[in-house]
Amino acid sequence: MFLDFTAVFDTVNHSMLLRVVRYRFGVGGTVLAWLGLYLSGRSQRIIVDGIRSRTYQLNSGVPQDSSLGPLLFNIYVSGLLDIVSNHAHVAVHAYADDFQVYLSSSPSSSANVEQAVQVIQDFAADIIVKSMVRQHSLKLNDGTTELLALGTRQQLSKINIRRLRVGDAIIAASTSVQNLGSYFDKDFIMATHVTKTCSAAFFHLHNIRQIRKFL
């Protein structure tokens, strides 16, 4: 399951982030003060057709397109990974705002499959409903959260996982998902990734052909 949260870098609460840095990672003194100054005093406004809105002070969010942005976000949500210790059969990979949940299960019986689905749902409920996500103002984007069953054709023919519940959302199973720039398909033969890569290559070659006469 590939969990996606809405505008995660914009929802980082500055006060809570500084508390996490201080009490969870033991960073204080001048370094903590410097970090507080780095986050504070930021503002934003909107300009449409030359008309400017009033300036809004920002009390949340980390600067994007900066080297510290992903690092500060990882620090901010580091407590989420503690929940994994309460779910022995679940593995989690996290990179910045990409949060992936893995569970290996044998399709030998429907009971195994149903148990695997329940374990995933319980883990998601632990994150979404019970604690850290609400405390950290993170909101699940159920429209882009994806579920993928991986296996051989023989294994996949024995299971029928169409959807699962994540909090109040119903997540339908996908035949392929994008994972950090690569596309994983349910048979794990990378056919979707190859097809999309070829399509992108032909698109750029076509554009190059159009401007060739000007070179």
Side-chain angles (χ1 to χ4, degrees):
M1 183 169 60
F2 297 78
L3 295 174
D4 185 65
F5 300 103
T6 302
V8 290
F9 287 98
D10 296 329
T11 59
V12 174
N13 183 282
H14 293 168
S15 298
M16 183 175 293
L17 172 60
L18 294 175
R19 287 198 298 271
V20 172
V21 171
R22 180 176 182 179
Y23 295 110
R24 184 177 179 84
F25 293 93
V27 177
T30 303
V31 176
L32 186 64
W34 171 82
L35 183 58
L37 290 173
Y38 174 73
L39 295 170
S40 64
R42 297 183 180 273
S43 60
Q44 70 177 21
R45 61 183 176 185
I46 300 172
I47 302 177
V48 179
D49 294 333
I51 301 175
R52 301 183 179 183
S53 71
R54 68 182 181 88
T55 299
Y56 294 87
Q57 298 300 316
L58 297 179
N59 298 316
S60 63
V62 294
Q64 298 189 36
D65 298 323
S66 67
S67 57
L68 280 179
L71 175 62
L72 292 175
F73 177 77
N74 283 340
I75 291 173
Y76 182 68
V77 298
S78 57
L80 286 174
L81 299 180
D82 292 343
I83 298 178
V84 179
S85 61
N86 298 326
H87 300 267
H89 301 290
V90 173
V92 171
H93 291 168
Y95 179 78
D97 58 336
D98 287 298
F99 200 82
Q100 305 163 13
V101 184
Y102 295 89
L103 177 65
S104 176
S105 178
S106 171
S108 57
S109 69
S110 59
N112 286 342
V113 176
E114 292 174 1
Q115 183 182 17
V117 170
Q118 190 61 50
V119 168
I120 289 275
Q121 290 183 154
D122 290 345
F123 177 79
D126 215 0
I127 291 181
I128 305 300
V129 178
K130 293 182 180 177
S131 57
M132 299 294 291
V133 170
R134 287 185 174 177
Q135 292 176 19
H136 285 67
S137 303
L138 299 180
K139 184 178 186 299
L140 182 72
N141 187 342
D142 52 313
T144 53
T145 291
E146 297 179 291
L147 170 68
L148 179 67
L150 285 166
T152 64
R153 292 183 180 180
Q154 292 78 10
Q155 291 173 327
L156 293 175
S157 65
K158 299 177 183 179
I159 65 176
N160 186 26
I161 302 177
R162 296 184 177 180
R163 63 184 65 86
L164 57 76
R165 178 177 293 277
V166 178
D168 297 327
I170 300 297
I171 307 301
S174 303
T175 56
S176 66
V177 298
Q178 187 175 12
N179 180 23
L180 296 177
S182 299
Y183 288 87
F184 290 0
D185 49 60
K186 58 187 180 65
D187 299 313
F188 209 60
I189 57 177
M190 306 301 287
T192 303
H193 181 77
V194 171
T195 299
K196 290 184 177 293
T197 301
C198 290
S199 297
F202 280 119
F203 172 78
H204 293 299
L205 287 172
H206 173 75
N207 289 339
I208 292 173
R209 183 180 180 182
Q210 298 303 309
I211 64 173
R212 183 177 59 180
K213 61 185 177 181
F214 300 107
L215 299 178

